[in-house]
Amino acid sequence: MATVTGSKIRQLLRVPSLLSVSRDSHKHLINKRFCSHDVRRVTLIPGDGIGPEISESVKTIFAAAKAPIEWDQVDVTPIKAASGKYVIPPSAFESIKQNMVGLKGPLATPIGKGHVSMNLTLRKTFNLFANVRPCKSIDGYKTPYDGVDLVTIRENTEGEYSGIEHTVVDGVVQSIKLITRKASIRLAEYAFQYAVDNNRSSVTVVHKANIMRMSDGLFLKCFREVAQNFKNIQYSEVYLDTTCLQIVMDPGKFDVLVMPNLYGDILSDLCAGLVGGLGVTPSGNIGSDGIAIFEAVHGTAPDIAGEDKANPTALLLSAVMMLRHMELRSYADVIENATLDVIREGSALTKDLGGNGTCSDFTKAICDRLQSSD
Amino acid sequence: MARHVKTVLHKCGAPIDFEDIDIKDTPSAEAAIISLKRNGIGLKGTITTDISNPQSQSINAQIRRKLDLYSNIVPCKLLPGVRTRHNHVDLVVIRENTEGEYGSLEHENVDGVVESLKIITEKKSRRIAKFAFDYAVQNNRRKVTAIHKANIMKLADGLFLDTCRDVSKEYNDIEFESMIIDNCCMQMVTNPQQFDVMVMPNLYGNIVSHIGIGLVGGIGLVPGKNIGDKYAIFESGARNIGNDLVGLNRANPCGFLFASALMLRHLGLHGYANVIESAIWTTIKNGKCRTPDIHGDGTTVEFINAVVKEIDDTNLSNDATFSDQYLAVTY
């Protein structure tokens, strides 16, 4: 009878890469502690248009920073399953399920091809319930708004984007907004924990409960309940319109903002505009099984694809967010600081940031920065 | 605010008789609605909504629905002398005010699962689109932008967008474009100068109008109009209470004063409206009595007195649009 001896087990466990490959229940991985030298595997979805080149830029920078990340590159273009439904390819699915963490470039949604948006497919497949966008003013990239340092957390599975619509009679359409206790509690728990983990002092819920009494009312009720378990975090509620008004007048006073789907979609883009747009804004999507996919939310920019003109900042900052999520904070800080230093210094900026540099120039400047601070 | 507006209107001799309706002690829309139906025109302060009772309906919403005030117009124009982060902002937000997300049609089928209905109809979309284009024509505006989320709400916002596009064909001199709401908000904080007249369903209108108000200096400066086929109500552009400023004599009365000027224009009393508006502009530009929200340290009363003085200094006698006949207005 062949058995694996105790010493053989110890040998296996000593090999770093095996620690991140687990086919067991994924929940335990959320709390699993990794040593800083353990290499972690991350699924990389380069995407379309400028996606491949900015992904290469991120890989180069991570190598220069000696971050312990190995990339599993996959393509998520949906394929038609036997059932007739479009699904992401099994290899991509397995990779993400296994690695638990993904980094995604911009994806194009072709019109008229018959399949729904790939972003939507990913969201539904991995139950990515929270979209998190930290918006921080970038020193060296001036906008009319200074001192912005807020985070928007948006419920990403229900609300106004339930997709439940029907034509009641000709010329009369009804669209349903769905709010459930389950999704609202889940988001609340995530938001408060995020505030704790990231040293944020307050969580503010943005709502329209004066008009949507029951739906936003339920959302608020759930947040009030969960707030009881996080007494160290200041909790407040603000109307959506008041938030919009105040955020364009004094954005510096906002911290963590949480809201249902539609308000989140709008506010997160509004906040991105305050700090310079989607080209410099990171974003992360958190799933209920511990899976997290970080992404650049800008478009594929087909007009400059392949011309070395793209700005990798959004994807890079999303990758930094990813490192923090994986508790590789020291690498996150180092890479983020190098990136912000290069932007502040200003000589290697890409065109959208007001410079004349190429994507390679920008990448090289960051790598040089990393290597000189070793 | 009521007192201040009456002071200013009285000073310039506007032939307006106010019928005061107090909502504070008896929170019901009935008395207000009856009076408004009688007078046809109203000037409204801000009314709170008690959100603790899920069954109670917002009084503001009730008034709008019952009087079919289908169009809410918030003109956001940067005034000379007011410092903000953006220059040359001059946009008008036209918001459909009676359907969309604000129907208060909600139910809890199963414990912990709530549905809220958003209704979009072709008839009301067409009506607001037509209103927006007519407004553009009457006010020498060059472009109308329809704001929507039709990429996600394909049927509802799709209907709204298609209807706007259809109506635009009847107005060849006005440029028509459309923009998705999230991109619109981002564009408003990066390049607001590109916008002219904007038309949209209820909720987006709420959001966009507040962003617009923030861009030009805040709720103290911007008026709002709610127009139906038969009735019109004028108010401050943002329906915020300003509880923190009650009784402190620091609130900015401009929004409300501009609303009263809009009301006078609606009544055809352009002369009086011109006088009031110039007086406000001059007072702001002079800079001495500005309230704290626009970087001054004056009080509300000081500002009103300054406006009144400006009116005093203006020669009122030559304008043919003045009238001796008093008009009743619900307040």
Side-chain angles (χ1 to χ4, degrees):
Chain A
M1 191 165 58
T3 52
V4 181
T5 62
S7 63
K8 273 239 162 83
I9 291 171
R10 279 191 291 279
Q11 262 178 17
L12 282 168
L13 285 174
R14 241 178 261 134
V15 177
S17 59
L18 281 179
L19 282 170
S20 62
V21 178
S22 167
R23 292 178 195 276
D24 292 334
S25 144
H26 300 109
K27 280 211 161 59
H28 81 278
L29 279 177
I30 299 167
N31 295 322
K32 194 174 171 67
R33 298 251 162 246
F34 290 92
C35 307
S36 60
H37 60 266
D38 295 337
V39 173
R40 304 279 302 276
R41 299 195 75 82
V42 168
T43 304
L44 176 64
I45 304 161
D48 309 308
I50 55 171
E53 55 202 281
I54 55 176
S55 301
E56 278 311 309
S57 172
V58 169
K59 281 157 76 175
T60 309
I61 291 169
F62 268 51
K66 301 194 180 71
I69 301 288
E70 264 181 36
W71 306 97
D72 274 343
Q73 204 149 310
V74 300
D75 178 7
V76 293
T77 310
I79 55 170
K80 210 169 188 177
S83 59
K85 272 175 76 177
Y86 279 94
V87 295
I88 68 168
S91 52
F93 177 82
E94 278 307 319
S95 170
I96 297 173
K97 260 253 190 276
Q98 206 163 277
N99 295 335
M100 301 288 286
V101 182
L103 182 68
K104 179 173 93 52
L107 292 175
T109 302
I111 301 172
K113 284 271 171 78
H115 60 74
V116 294
S117 131
M118 282 173 271
N119 289 317
L120 188 59
T121 312
L122 277 172
R123 199 173 306 138
K124 291 207 155 149
T125 310
F126 298 107
N127 211 9
L128 302 174
F129 69 90
N131 175 248
V132 184
R133 283 207 211 160
C135 291
K136 197 163 171 184
S137 288
I138 295 179
D139 199 8
Y141 187 45
K142 192 101 180 73
T143 67
Y145 301 90
D146 292 324
V148 182
D149 184 7
L150 55 87
V151 182
T152 58
I153 300 183
R154 156 194 177 189
E155 204 294 322
N156 220 0
T157 62
E158 55 176 30
E160 300 82 348
Y161 294 6
S162 59
I164 313 170
E165 292 188 292
H166 31 264
T167 303
V168 178
V169 292
D170 205 21
V172 178
V173 173
Q174 184 173 293
S175 177
I176 295 183
K177 162 177 168 166
L178 200 61
I179 297 283
T180 62
R181 190 180 155 73
K182 180 177 165 197
S184 306
I185 293 273
R186 179 175 62 183
L187 187 76
E189 285 172 350
Y190 176 76
F192 279 97
Q193 193 57 51
Y194 178 94
V196 168
D197 292 342
N198 290 274
N199 295 321
R200 310 294 300 208
S201 52
S202 69
V203 165
T204 303
V205 173
V206 179
H207 68 97
K208 251 338 248 171
N210 51 338
I211 300 292
M212 281 178 253
R213 209 64 60 73
M214 287 176 82
S215 44
D216 285 2
L218 175 59
F219 193 79
L220 283 182
K221 193 160 160 251
C222 295
F223 269 79
R224 286 173 190 159
E225 271 176 41
V226 172
Q228 299 303 315
N229 302 331
F230 291 88
K231 297 275 190 197
N232 291 336
I233 303 287
Q234 204 182 339
Y235 170 70
S236 59
E237 299 166 358
V238 194
Y239 287 138
L240 173 63
D241 43 13
T242 307
T243 308
C244 290
L245 177 69
Q246 292 180 352
I247 223 168
V248 302
M249 295 182 76
D250 185 12
K253 68 186 198 188
F254 290 93
D255 193 355
V256 177
L257 296 170
V258 200
M259 56 227 113
N261 216 331
L262 175 70
Y263 314 152
D265 190 10
I266 295 170
L267 265 181
S268 56
D269 276 10
L270 174 63
C271 294
L274 299 175
V275 300
L278 299 181
V280 295
T281 306
S283 174
N285 299 286
I286 311 298
S288 48
D289 293 326
I291 288 176
I293 299 184
F294 298 85
E295 60 177 352
V297 289
H298 54 68
T300 53
D303 49 328
I304 57 168
E307 291 178 13
D308 199 20
K309 289 182 182 166
N311 176 2
T313 304
L315 190 64
L316 191 52
L317 291 179
S318 302
V320 163
M321 234 181 122
M322 176 190 83
L323 287 170
R324 293 202 168 102
H325 172 83
M326 296 161 83
E327 303 212 4
L328 294 169
R329 285 174 197 272
S330 56
Y331 294 101
D333 290 342
V334 152
I335 294 173
E336 187 180 53
N337 288 337
T339 309
L340 294 178
D341 282 347
V342 166
I343 294 177
R344 190 181 304 118
E345 196 264 326
S347 60
L349 299 181
T350 47
K351 189 156 175 244
D352 61 309
L353 292 177
N356 287 315
T358 59
C359 180
S360 315
D361 290 339
F362 187 73
T363 309
K364 184 172 181 308
I366 300 176
C367 293
D368 289 346
R369 199 86 198 193
L370 286 165
Q371 272 148 7
S372 68
S373 60
D374 255 341
Chain B
M1 283 300 145
R3 233 182 28 245
H4 295 317
V5 163
K6 285 180 183 172
T7 307
V8 171
L9 286 177
H10 176 72
K11 192 72 208 180
C12 72
I16 302 288
D17 218 359
F18 282 103
E19 183 185 341
D20 292 343
I21 304 285
D22 195 342
I23 300 268
K24 241 191 339 220
D25 298 320
T26 45
S28 150
E30 279 314 311
I33 292 173
I34 291 170
S35 167
L36 284 162
K37 280 187 167 167
R38 185 172 44 241
N39 295 326
I41 303 279
L43 196 54
K44 183 169 81 67
T46 339
I47 305 173
T48 30
T49 300
D50 175 15
I51 67 171
S52 57
N53 176 3
Q55 305 308 326
S56 77
Q57 287 209 357
S58 147
I59 292 181
N60 291 312
Q62 280 182 59
I63 294 177
R64 282 195 296 276
R65 252 202 319 277
K66 294 221 164 122
L67 299 177
D68 200 24
L69 301 174
Y70 63 87
S71 173
N72 173 242
I73 303 135
V74 180
C76 302
K77 187 171 169 154
L78 191 58
L79 296 173
V82 176
R83 280 189 335 262
T84 61
R85 291 180 174 90
H86 302 274
N87 296 324
H88 308 303
V89 179
D90 184 5
L91 54 91
V92 181
V93 180
I94 296 184
R95 156 191 181 189
E96 204 294 323
N97 222 359
T98 58
E99 60 173 17
E101 302 82 348
Y102 285 40
S104 299
L105 298 160
E106 298 183 293
H107 40 266
E108 190 166 7
N109 290 334
V110 170
D111 200 27
V113 176
V114 175
E115 272 188 0
S116 176
L117 300 182
K118 162 177 167 166
I119 309 283
I120 297 283
T121 61
E122 200 253 333
K123 177 177 161 199
K124 291 192 176 181
S125 302
R126 189 167 291 276
R127 184 169 66 169
I128 195 70
K130 193 160 184 331
F131 183 93
F133 279 96
D134 286 341
Y135 182 96
V137 168
Q138 285 156 16
N139 291 274
N140 294 319
R141 313 291 298 212
R142 45 175 180 85
K143 180 168 79 165
V144 170
T145 308
I147 309 295
H148 66 96
K149 192 78 189 169
N151 52 335
I152 301 288
M153 284 181 255
K154 296 180 162 66
L155 289 187
D157 285 4
L159 176 59
F160 180 82
L161 183 58
D162 289 343
T163 310
C164 287
R165 197 169 281 131
D166 200 36
V167 169
S168 76
K169 294 178 188 154
E170 299 165 31
Y171 296 84
N172 288 322
D173 295 334
I174 305 285
E175 190 191 330
F176 173 70
E177 66 172 15
S178 64
M179 200 180 277
I180 297 180
I181 174 74
D182 36 335
N183 186 27
C184 167
C185 294
M186 189 156 37
Q187 296 290 329
M188 283 182 89
V189 297
T190 50
N191 182 16
Q193 295 79 6
Q194 66 183 285
F195 295 106
D196 193 349
V197 175
M198 303 162 80
V199 64
M200 60 210 85
N202 219 330
L203 179 68
Y204 311 149
N206 185 221
I207 293 168
V208 171
S209 61
H210 280 70
I211 295 175
I213 290 169
L215 291 176
V216 300
I219 55 177
L221 291 173
V222 183
K225 290 198 268 207
N226 301 282
I227 309 267
D229 289 330
K230 293 189 203 159
Y231 311 104
I233 294 187
F234 299 83
E235 58 181 355
S236 172
R239 298 161 182 161
N240 296 60
I241 291 282
N243 267 334
D244 51 331
L245 296 172
V246 165
L248 292 176
N249 196 16
R250 277 175 28 220
N252 189 340
C254 291
F256 223 58
L257 289 173
F258 281 129
S260 64
L262 286 180
M263 177 189 75
L264 292 170
R265 285 197 193 287
H266 185 82
L267 291 166
L269 300 170
H270 296 286
Y272 299 104
N274 288 338
V275 164
I276 292 179
E277 283 175 358
S278 305
I280 302 172
W281 292 335
T282 310
T283 310
I284 291 178
K285 213 164 161 205
N286 284 342
K288 289 193 284 265
C289 304
R290 292 191 197 179
T291 44
D293 62 313
I294 44 173
H295 314 295
D297 49 17
T299 61
T300 315
V301 167
E302 280 169 8
F303 190 88
I304 293 289
N305 289 339
V307 170
V308 158
K309 184 168 180 308
E310 280 302 323
I311 294 174
D312 254 341
D313 294 344
T314 311
N315 188 347
L316 291 176
S317 57
N318 296 331
D319 197 313
T321 54
F322 288 94
S323 156
D324 286 329
Q325 191 180 12
Y326 271 70
L327 298 157
V329 167
T330 304
Y331 184 85

